[in-house]
Amino acid sequence: MKYKVVLVPGDGIGPEVAAAACDILKAANAPIEWVQALAGVAALEAGEKELLPASTIAAIREHRVALKGPCTTPVGGGFSSVNVAMRKTLDLYGAVRPVRSLAGVKTRFENVDLVVVRENTEGLYAGIENEITQGVVTSVKVATRQACLRIADFAFRYAVHRNRKKVSVFHKANIMKLSDGMFIRCAREVHDAKYQQIVYEELIIDAACMRLVQDPTRFDVLLMENLYGDVISDLCAGLVGGLGVVPGANLGENCAIFEAVHGSAPDIAGKGIANPLAITMSAVMMLNYIAEMHGDAAVAATATRIRGAYDRALQEGCRTRDLGGELSTRQFADAVIARLG
Ligand code: ATP
């Protein structure tokens, strides 16, 4: 029995790191059958008319699980983000980014173990911008009570399910009284109604950033709106070794896309030096999701084996350049495969 999973390699370093992750899963005998699909510049280059082909969305709807590499988003012009479009089209409203210290990756702090939960469909990230008149633009920050309640419930449910103790909401409700004000009121409401066993706190985001870099070990689950989640995810990645080591999941009611927090990193694309760990960790999250969905303990065991293998590889000094090592993408993948046991 194999589970069909849509594979979207993406742009830039996407295909390189996705191939490495697939090789690791194959070597671990993960029962996955990949369904290839395209998105991003890669889709246009393959002759598709759209950055996000309808066939890709249809495949993810059909198979319900996807592993995805990053898609390039141009800065300050050009087309809008394919990553954002995918999340919105499939209503993948909850992003989960676990951030943990890794033995063998030396950073300022040890024992960081937190999870960023990001609302994935609204906020300034909705990308609603207008040039009212020449030289004057507005960006609309969208917040709906329904989406605020939904992501709050998601975060608390996640906390309970994963045996986490505390949810910290980051906000700027002192300035954005209506939008962020509603976000924290909804979080409070959900907490008080259903999750009083979880410790709950609210922090203004600027002070929260200071606390994060002073002592990230005091945090557990972080809950925030879309743009804050984007920024804080990268900040947290920096606490544990960088963008090469933080995985992510975009979850909705009907399907899920697993992807690294990092982007397409055009500066190192094609050189074979990108760290494949973040997408491999995302694939491990994906295996655990499939294991839970189907009650398949063997798949969960495969996920644990892969995690053990990359943890051991790091402990034994196998590192790509972003972590101060010298291994190529391929060599790191081989080092993980050699330790699958
Ligand atoms: P986006 O806006 O598309 O999310 P970003 O601003 O997060 O992109 P990235 O494309 O992730 O930016 O890259 C930032 C830098 O981090 C890159 O220039 C690259 O040097 C480094 N980087 C990102 N991912 C990796 C990786 N997997 N391995 C090694 N270095 C990486």
Side-chain angles (χ1 to χ4, degrees):
M1 158 75 184
K2 286 201 170 189
Y3 299 103
K4 285 194 176 176
V5 171
V6 178
L7 179 69
V8 184
D11 301 321
I13 59 171
E16 304 162 42
V17 292
C22 289
D23 287 349
I24 293 170
L25 264 63
K26 188 170 178 208
N29 288 323
I32 302 297
E33 183 183 328
W34 299 110
V35 177
Q36 299 286 334
L38 291 169
V41 177
L44 297 184
E45 284 172 358
E48 294 283 350
K49 293 200 170 50
E50 309 274 342
L51 285 153
L52 183 49
S55 56
T56 298
I57 293 294
I60 299 172
R61 283 211 170 101
E62 181 184 347
H63 301 297
R64 302 183 60 182
V65 182
L67 182 67
K68 176 182 164 297
C71 294
T72 297
T73 307
V75 175
F79 55 84
S80 56
S81 168
V82 177
N83 309 310
V84 172
M86 247 185 192
R87 294 168 198 161
K88 271 167 58 176
T89 308
L90 294 164
D91 200 21
L92 303 174
Y93 64 90
V96 174
R97 280 117 180 243
V99 178
R100 71 176 171 103
S101 300
L102 295 160
V105 179
K106 207 171 155 19
T107 51
R108 187 182 293 263
F109 301 99
E110 290 170 8
N111 306 322
V112 177
D113 181 13
L114 57 85
V115 181
V116 178
V117 174
R118 164 185 178 186
E119 202 289 322
N120 233 1
T121 63
E122 302 195 327
L124 282 169
Y125 240 79
I128 303 170
E129 297 193 304
N130 289 302
E131 182 163 14
I132 297 176
T133 182
Q134 206 181 4
V136 182
V137 296
T138 58
S139 293
V140 179
K141 175 159 168 158
V142 181
T144 64
R145 182 172 153 77
Q146 186 247 352
C148 294
L149 289 171
R150 179 168 77 160
I151 193 65
D153 197 69
F154 177 95
F156 286 114
R157 233 185 307 132
Y158 178 91
V160 171
H161 189 57
R162 303 281 158 158
N163 207 16
R164 298 254 170 191
K165 307 289 177 234
K166 182 165 74 173
V167 171
S168 310
V169 177
F170 289 9
H171 67 90
K172 193 75 187 175
N174 49 337
I175 304 298
M176 268 153 282
K177 294 178 194 295
L178 290 183
S179 53
D180 283 16
M182 184 162 68
F183 194 88
I184 55 173
R185 273 195 305 280
C186 288
R188 243 179 254 164
E189 196 178 314
V190 171
H191 171 260
D192 293 352
K194 289 166 71 180
Y195 302 100
Q196 288 193 20
Q197 72 273 37
I198 302 287
V199 178
Y200 173 74
E201 65 175 358
E202 295 163 0
L203 289 98
I204 294 180
I205 190 154
D206 40 0
C209 286
M210 183 196 67
R211 292 224 194 163
L212 258 178
V213 297
Q214 279 181 332
D215 180 16
T217 63
R218 75 175 287 286
F219 290 102
D220 193 348
V221 175
L222 312 181
L223 166 63
M224 62 205 80
E225 63 90 86
N226 211 340
L227 178 61
Y228 303 155
D230 180 51
V231 177
I232 296 292
S233 297
D234 279 28
L235 187 158
C236 290
L239 297 169
V240 295
L243 287 167
V245 298
V246 177
N250 301 294
L251 303 168
E253 300 302 341
N254 301 312
C255 50
I257 297 180
F258 295 82
E259 64 178 337
V261 167
H262 63 71
S264 59
D267 55 330
I268 54 167
K271 297 184 178 159
I273 57 170
N275 191 345
L277 194 47
I279 192 167
T280 303
M281 291 168 141
S282 308
V284 165
M285 290 175 79
M286 179 195 88
L287 291 176
N288 281 320
Y289 177 85
I290 290 171
E292 277 186 30
M293 189 159 73
H294 297 277
D296 189 333
V299 173
T302 304
T304 305
R305 255 176 79 222
I306 297 172
R307 179 174 160 156
Y310 61 64
D311 277 348
R312 268 193 300 284
L314 290 172
Q315 273 162 29
E316 290 167 24
C318 307
R319 282 190 291 270
T320 43
R321 291 185 198 191
D322 54 308
L323 299 179
E326 298 201 328
L327 296 188
S328 66
T329 309
R330 194 58 275 148
Q331 287 168 327
F332 184 78
D334 288 342
V336 175
I337 289 169
R339 287 162 180 80
L340 279 169

